[in-house]
Amino acid sequence: MSNPPRYPLPDLNSLPDDLKAKILEVQEKAGFVPNVFLGMARRPAEWRAFFAYHDALMTPETAGRTSGLSKGDREMIVTATSAANHCLYCVVAHGAILRIYEKKPLVADQVAVNHRKADIAPRQRAMLDFAMKVCLASHEVDDADFATLHAHGFSDEDAWDIAAITAFFGLSNRMASFSGMMPNPEFYLMGRVPKTK
Amino acid sequence: MSNPPRYPLPDLNSLPDDLKAKILEVQEKAGFVPNVFLGMARRPAEWRAFFAYHDALMTPETAGRTSGLSKGDREMIVTATSAANHCLYCVVAHGAILRIYEKKPLVADQVAVNHRKADIAPRQRAMLDFAMKVCLASHEVDDADFATLHAHGFSDEDAWDIAAITAFFGLSNRMASFSGMMPNPEFYLMGRVPKTK
Amino acid sequence: MSNPPRYPLPDLNSLPDDLKAKILEVQEKAGFVPNVFLGMARRPAEWRAFFAYHDALMTPETAGRTSGLSKGDREMIVTATSAANHCLYCVVAHGAILRIYEKKPLVADQVAVNHRKADIAPRQRAMLDFAMKVCLASHEVDDADFATLHAHGFSDEDAWDIAAITAFFGLSNRMASFSGMMPNPEFYLMGRVPKTK
Amino acid sequence: MSNPPRYPLPDLNSLPDDLKAKILEVQEKAGFVPNVFLGMARRPAEWRAFFAYHDALMTPETAGRTSGLSKGDREMIVTATSAANHCLYCVVAHGAILRIYEKKPLVADQVAVNHRKADIAPRQRAMLDFAMKVCLASHEVDDADFATLHAHGFSDEDAWDIAAITAFFGLSNRMASFSGMMPNPEFYLMGRVPKTK
Amino acid sequence: MSNPPRYPLPDLNSLPDDLKAKILEVQEKAGFVPNVFLGMARRPAEWRAFFAYHDALMTPETAGRTSGLSKGDREMIVTATSAANHCLYCVVAHGAILRIYEKKPLVADQVAVNHRKADIAPRQRAMLDFAMKVCLASHEVDDADFATLHAHGFSDEDAWDIAAITAFFGLSNRMASFSGMMPNPEFYLMGRVPKTK
Amino acid sequence: MSNPPRYPLPDLNSLPDDLKAKILEVQEKAGFVPNVFLGMARRPAEWRAFFAYHDALMTPETAGRTSGLSKGDREMIVTATSAANHCLYCVVAHGAILRIYEKKPLVADQVAVNHRKADIAPRQRAMLDFAMKVCLASHEVDDADFATLHAHGFSDEDAWDIAAITAFFGLSNRMASFSGMMPNPEFYLMGRVPKTK
């Protein structure tokens, strides 16, 4: 039903205890194990660094830090970056989370196809423009790009957040695409249907 | 809730009878009026030619013709082409129809992000490779491209179908993007949830 | 003497009456049958839609419409678009018509090689810049592009004309290139030699 | 009637004797002074080197050398290279010479728009493919490119000719475009009308 | 003498103990503190993840793993990737380490400008070709790319190493370029002068 | 130790006297014969034109001309152009001369990897931006580019110098890359170690 990944997923029970514990925790919370957790787990040292980096950027409070970006902002950057890199896993998985955080069932598809047409705030549009420059031409980032961010109320710390999230998911996108990682079917529908009581 | 289109949509009752009749027919069938029908209607002569061309390619039986491409094949070409052209309207609207025709809730997102990773038949992969060449570098199409199609069982008539659908939706994509056409919200969810009895 | 088209041209007498009548009319007027009329005729339904669309845009008076673009403006857009798409048939055929309408024997070659260096009005330069953006990056068209058009006296209706002509000939270019359509030899010289009495 | 060049053309009588003599000789032969002769003449030392290089490549017999490329082959490379670099002066001027040498009134437009569709020999197609790689991605030229040339009967000396002509006219194209050099009107029609007795 | 970084470097004594200890250790070994250690240190959680990831890939023995890539191979991938991303810091810093590990004073400049011309083994050329595809078009990596690697003796584990190093330094390149990180002057000369006794 | 050039270097004694004399003079001055002198010498007429052009641009005083560009400025243009064209020979050879003229051991690597981050004057940054446009998109050079140069104090003669050096080394880059010319090992270290008494 799905293309097999190029690298077989390891058995959960064969993994070191810390990986196993974290993965079970995610499973408990999400109801399934997102493939990235097993796809990266064949190399525990890389796995630990990958998720430590992920958490430092995506849940800054775990790093004792606050951020000027909302959770939705961050997932929006991930979705746009992953679309620019044509990464199927990340567009689908993080698009799902974006829909949930922003409470906007349509936003992920819009950002993935053409962020210039998406129903997002002008501030978010500027944020994504900056992310796209870091993603596609980081060597050309200059003072004018920072000035545009500042004009939309972003601080230099926020700029670091945008750039670092873009850079980290550029790594993630390349790993997922090269290794043939496929999104779990559960992601495709998440956040699309408004919850009813 | 949605970016307004750059060109105001005309009132249905102001349209010529033939446009109005067709639009009401579509509304009856789909339950809503897809924006492309109103977005193109401000110029009735172009509207008529646009939909005549669309129907000649997408419902070949109306042109007294059979095609080696299935309805799902055709929508798959539209989705891949529209993604390559970053056309929000067409990716969302035709991705919906693709899901329905192929009865595969995940296929549209896969084709839109990276058709090389999609769960599609090798024959469909070759079909999309040819479509992408027509879309992005039609001046380089050569005998080797036709030979690859033939090796997957496509005839020269099928090749014409693939190329013509790609070319027609290249037109459609440019019109939708330039004029700020937004997909109807209904499309985003269509075909994603398997029907239950 | 010429590369054969990939799809054999149909015999005129085998065509439906309406196609045959129109083609004979064109032949009467031009002195020969431009290859696009036979090249597209193997599929009458597509032929009818193609030329209906063509006429709606290129002879707006047949659609009961006036346009802010002159006949020369329109052919200039076609020539620039076709050059950007490397379409031999359309550059040669429409370059010929451009020379005739503009009464400028040199303009077509200039527009085809580099419209920025062509001896055209600033208004036409802005028109072609907009066309090139629709042709090559329609998803990036934004308010600033429209503002530039307005500053040169173009209305939003004119912008639609520019975009639609660009989009339609993008379709035409892809069909001609993919199917190996070659320009009739007659086109190459048309409009190059000023008529003398 | 024509865009003025960015750098005013020098007066013929103000030029050093050797430049003046050569230019008068060209004028005598061609009936007019091609703009490149005056456009480059404001710097005599560069002028001398430019035309010495030109002659060493384009009239190898003046360098005591024979070449496996015909005069038509050489102008075909110039035309294709200049089109790839969007150089109006060189496409028009050398396209004219190409038509004359090849005695094919249509070939220059074909090569300029899309050399893959031109009515040229397979050997010439391979020659232009190599030229395009030198023009656009010289750092990627490799053994396989030479093997293809050899398979079409070209020697390593011929390969040098193709590459050097492409490289030299890359220089010429940049100088003409940057300085706003326009083709003389005479070039546009040359070689298009078969001579009659 | 040097462009200041966009984000001021933190004072070493203000850093958490683990960062401070590691940085002092590096300083002791290298004789200076490479700017990346201070440039990333303003966010300790990201710093820890960054260097943990770095070490897991670049010193696999610290992760209890052996690798089919030599230390020189790994730095060669970093240098080629960083050049493709136009990252000044990483080309200069890792080019230095590459020269030392490979004991080839010329190799880093060759790999940075055009790896196709570098004096490296055919196996290393294939390794860099794969890295460049992961770097520039990871969504197009396919079975044929793996087959080429296998033909040069690389295992799937080695492929993971190549891809992961490329992906990680893509992150590093974007962070260094966006934040204006400049290479320490010491790097430029390292490994260029053969040591004499 | 080095990839052999695709075209064997001629023996110095087999060359015409003028080439031999110039080459011996260079050898006397530099301590070795830069490969470009032998690599181009197999065709004496092209050699003479190549170096005449080179000298007219790079040592304008030999052409009885002064230039608003310093010797360092000129070599900086060559280094940036050659990096954009991925020409190993020219980046290494002219990067060496750049270091010497500018007395800045680090500047060549900076300009080659990303001239936007180099420690150069704003005037030099504008100079390189113009050179890069001539190198990569000469057909788009327009009045605004000249205005930027003027604002930094460059005259139209200086603009010609920048463009001509860029164009000439575009030729040189293509010849060196296509023919497999490798830099002499001596260049790599030149100008990197400040001279001590």
Side-chain angles (χ1 to χ4, degrees), chain A residues 20-135:
Chain A
K20 192 173 164 185
K22 174 75 177 286
I23 292 173
L24 288 173
E25 181 191 323
V26 170
Q27 186 178 31
E28 172 96 6
K29 187 174 167 191
F32 63 96
V33 182
N35 286 333
V36 65
F37 285 92
L38 289 173
M40 298 293 283
R42 51 199 301 287
R43 292 203 174 174
E46 297 172 30
W47 189 99
R48 290 182 190 107
F50 181 90
F51 287 105
Y53 214 141
H54 176 280
D55 293 350
L57 293 170
M58 300 303 280
T59 52
E61 59 280 9
T62 65
R65 195 168 60 79
T66 58
S67 164
L69 305 186
S70 72
K71 291 194 291 182
D73 290 341
R74 289 194 288 267
E75 293 295 337
M76 195 178 286
I77 296 167
V78 180
T79 302
T81 294
S82 303
N85 288 326
H86 300 283
C87 175
L88 179 57
Y89 182 86
C90 296
V91 168
V92 172
H94 289 273
I97 310 176
L98 169 59
R99 286 189 294 268
I100 293 171
Y101 283 159
E102 289 285 289
K103 294 187 182 20
K104 295 171 79 170
L106 314 186
V107 72
D109 293 344
Q110 295 173 352
V111 165
V113 178
N114 186 3
H115 78 271
R116 296 166 196 78
K117 304 285 182 191
D119 287 325
I120 56 177
R123 173 188 159 280
Q124 290 175 317
R125 166 68 195 272
M127 175 185 82
L128 294 183
D129 286 345
F130 186 77
M132 288 301 93
K133 190 155 185 187
V134 172
C135 181

Side-chain angles (χ1 to χ4, degrees), chain F residues 14 22 78-79 83 88 101 116 138 143 147 156 158 161 172 185 187:
Chain F
S14 71
K22 175 75 177 285
V78 180
T79 302
L88 178 58
Y101 283 159
R116 297 167 195 79
S138 59
D143 290 347
D156 280 352
D158 298 337
D161 273 2
S172 181
F187 282 122

Side-chain angles (χ1 to χ4, degrees), chain D residues 86-156:
Chain D
H86 300 283
C87 175
L88 178 58
Y89 182 85
C90 296
V91 168
V92 172
H94 289 273
I97 310 177
L98 169 59
R99 287 189 293 269
I100 292 172
Y101 282 159
E102 289 285 290
K103 296 188 182 20
K104 296 171 79 171
L106 314 185
V107 72
D109 293 345
Q110 295 172 351
V111 165
V113 178
N114 186 1
H115 79 272
R116 296 166 195 79
K117 303 284 183 191
D119 287 327
I120 56 176
R123 174 190 159 279
Q124 290 176 317
R125 165 69 194 271
M127 176 185 80
L128 295 183
D129 286 346
F130 187 78
M132 288 302 91
K133 191 156 184 186
V134 172
C135 181
L136 300 172
S138 58
H139 63 297
E140 296 182 358
V141 171
D142 61 15
D143 289 348
D145 298 310
F146 278 81
T148 302
L149 282 187
H150 295 161
H152 281 88
F154 291 104
S155 68
D156 280 352

Side-chain angles (χ1 to χ4, degrees), chain E residues 82-112:
Chain E
S82 303
N85 288 327
H86 301 283
C87 175
L88 179 58
Y89 182 85
C90 296
V91 168
V92 172
H94 288 274
I97 310 177
L98 169 58
R99 286 190 293 268
I100 292 171
Y101 283 159
E102 288 286 289
K103 296 187 183 17
K104 296 171 79 171
L106 314 186
V107 72
D109 293 345
Q110 296 173 352
V111 165

Side-chain angles (χ1 to χ4, degrees), chain B residues 121-144:
Chain B
R123 174 188 159 280
Q124 290 175 318
R125 165 69 195 270
M127 177 185 79
L128 294 184
D129 286 345
F130 186 78
M132 288 302 92
K133 190 156 185 186
V134 172
C135 181
L136 300 172
S138 59
H139 63 297
E140 296 183 359
V141 170
D142 62 16
D143 289 348

Side-chain angles (χ1 to χ4, degrees), chain B residues 6-7 39-40 42-43 46 49 53 57 65 86 134-135 139 143 146 156-157 160-161 163 174 178, chain C residues 6-7 39-40 42-43 46 49 53 57 65 86 134-135 139 143 146 156-157 160-161 174-175 178:
Chain B
R6 197 174 292 276
Y7 294 85
M40 298 293 283
R42 50 198 302 286
R43 291 203 174 173
E46 296 172 30
Y53 215 141
L57 293 170
R65 195 169 59 79
H86 300 283
V134 172
C135 181
H139 63 297
D143 289 348
F146 278 81
D156 280 351
E157 286 303 311
W160 181 286
D161 273 2
R174 283 169 178 77
F178 128 88
Chain C
R6 197 176 291 279
Y7 294 84
M40 297 294 283
R42 51 198 302 285
R43 292 203 174 175
E46 297 172 30
Y53 215 141
L57 293 170
R65 194 168 59 80
H86 300 283
V134 172
C135 181
H139 62 297
D143 289 348
F146 278 80
D156 280 352
E157 285 304 309
W160 181 286
D161 273 2
R174 283 169 177 78
M175 291 307 292
F178 128 88

Side-chain angles (χ1 to χ4, degrees), chain F residues 4-55:
Chain F
R6 197 175 292 279
Y7 294 85
L9 300 183
D11 184 74
L12 182 61
N13 290 316
S14 71
L15 297 178
D17 286 347
D18 61 325
L19 276 66
K20 192 173 163 184
K22 175 75 177 285
I23 291 172
L24 289 173
E25 181 192 323
V26 169
Q27 186 178 31
E28 172 94 9
K29 188 173 167 191
F32 62 97
V33 181
N35 286 333
V36 66
F37 285 92
L38 289 173
M40 298 293 282
R42 51 198 301 286
R43 292 202 175 176
E46 296 173 29
W47 188 99
R48 290 182 191 108
F50 181 90
F51 287 104
Y53 216 141
H54 176 280
D55 293 351

